[in-house]
Amino acid sequence: MKINPNFPYPLYLVISEKDCTHLPWLEVAEQAILGGVDIIQLREKDSNFDTFLQKANDLKKLTNHYNIPLIINDSVEIAIEIKSFGIHVGQTDHKPSEINKNPKAPKTIGWSIETIDQLIPEELEFVQHLGVGIYPTPTKTNSLSQWDLDGLQFLKSKTDKPLIAIGGINKGNIAQVIQAGADSIAVVSAICASKNPLKSAQQLKQIIHENSYS
């Protein structure tokens, strides 16, 4: 993996409280940061607005302390309220072009891509990075498809946007995903479901370093 100057965050944690099965979720986030996570996305699909906002504020205090960028999943309103670094949306959420029209919204917009037909120039103009599902995963069940490693390589040839690989990635397969062309590796269970999130983050970051080149 070559560090992409347009998205210099090789280890990307996607966190929600329900995915943190052994430790309190904010403790998981802090341990992950100390272990080498470069950026965090808060994804709270099952929380109401007020709960999501409270969690976002709590996490923002932590990420600010460690100077780690925070991305909010789906909710433009919460991203604006806490002044997050970025927002990530899927195909059924707000379109990037719509988000960009809001002057208060973050200008760092991530967008999940599930088919090649979704590489729409009119939307990509406002997108800074793309989320790419690689393997099936129980933490995200609403994706239409997974790209797999060949699909990731194919997508790499079709766009110059940084590609954030996500879905079923762990220390056993992360090297293959890096070698297939990912610019960043996003994980959920590999850290959130770990009994030792700090060590798990360290192990993932070490593999990234071992597969990096300048």
Side-chain angles (χ1 to χ4, degrees):
M1 177 189 290
K2 184 176 182 179
I3 300 300
N4 191 318
N6 295 319
F7 197 83
Y9 312 107
L11 185 54
Y12 184 134
L13 174 64
V14 179
I15 193 168
S16 71
E17 184 171 13
K18 74 171 186 178
D19 290 320
C20 297
T21 52
H22 296 289
L23 297 169
W25 75 278
L26 280 174
E27 184 177 343
V28 171
E30 184 167 28
Q31 286 200 23
I33 292 169
L34 294 173
V37 159
D38 301 292
I39 189 168
I40 295 180
Q41 176 180 325
L42 179 60
R43 184 170 72 191
E44 284 290 339
K45 292 283 191 180
D46 300 326
S47 294
N48 61 36
F49 182 88
D50 290 342
T51 302
F52 193 171
L53 179 59
Q54 182 61 57
K55 290 178 178 180
N57 274 314
D58 291 343
L59 185 55
K60 184 72 158 42
K61 291 175 185 175
L62 181 68
T63 56
N64 281 353
H65 177 74
Y66 289 103
N67 196 28
I68 294 291
L70 175 60
I71 290 179
I72 294 297
N73 193 75
D74 293 350
S75 178
V76 177
E77 295 83 359
I78 288 176
I80 291 172
E81 181 73 21
I82 70 162
K83 297 181 172 61
S84 68
F85 170 76
I87 185 165
H88 190 92
V89 290
Q91 292 294 316
T92 59
D93 304 312
H94 299 281
K95 291 183 178 180
S97 58
E98 294 173 351
I99 297 171
N100 185 73
K101 291 176 183 177
N102 189 327
K104 296 182 179 180
K107 295 306 175 187
T108 298
I109 302 173
W111 198 32
S112 293
I113 290 290
E114 298 175 344
T115 68
I116 196 66
D117 294 340
Q118 293 167 354
L119 284 179
I120 304 167
E122 293 80 8
E123 294 300 328
L124 291 177
E125 177 184 353
F126 305 105
V127 173
Q128 280 63 57
H129 54 277
L130 297 172
V132 185
I134 304 299
Y135 303 117
T137 170
T139 64
K140 187 170 176 58
T141 57
N142 61 344
S143 294
L144 293 175
S145 61
Q146 283 77 42
W147 285 90
D148 70 31
L149 299 181
D150 289 339
L152 179 61
Q153 289 180 316
F154 174 71
L155 189 57
K156 187 82 171 176
S157 71
K158 297 297 181 181
T159 179
D160 60 359
K161 298 291 181 182
L163 302 180
I164 290 72
I166 188 169
I169 302 173
N170 53 51
K171 64 182 181 180
N173 58 28
I174 184 174
Q176 295 173 303
V177 181
I178 293 167
Q179 292 159 11
D183 294 290
S184 176
I185 301 295
V187 298
V188 183
S189 299
I191 290 177
C192 291
S194 172
K195 293 182 179 179
N196 190 336
L198 188 150
K199 182 177 180 181
S200 295
Q202 288 175 331
Q203 291 173 334
L204 293 167
K205 196 65 173 287
Q206 180 61 34
I207 298 171
I208 289 174
H209 284 316
E210 291 170 354
N211 286 272
S212 296
Y213 56 92
S214 57

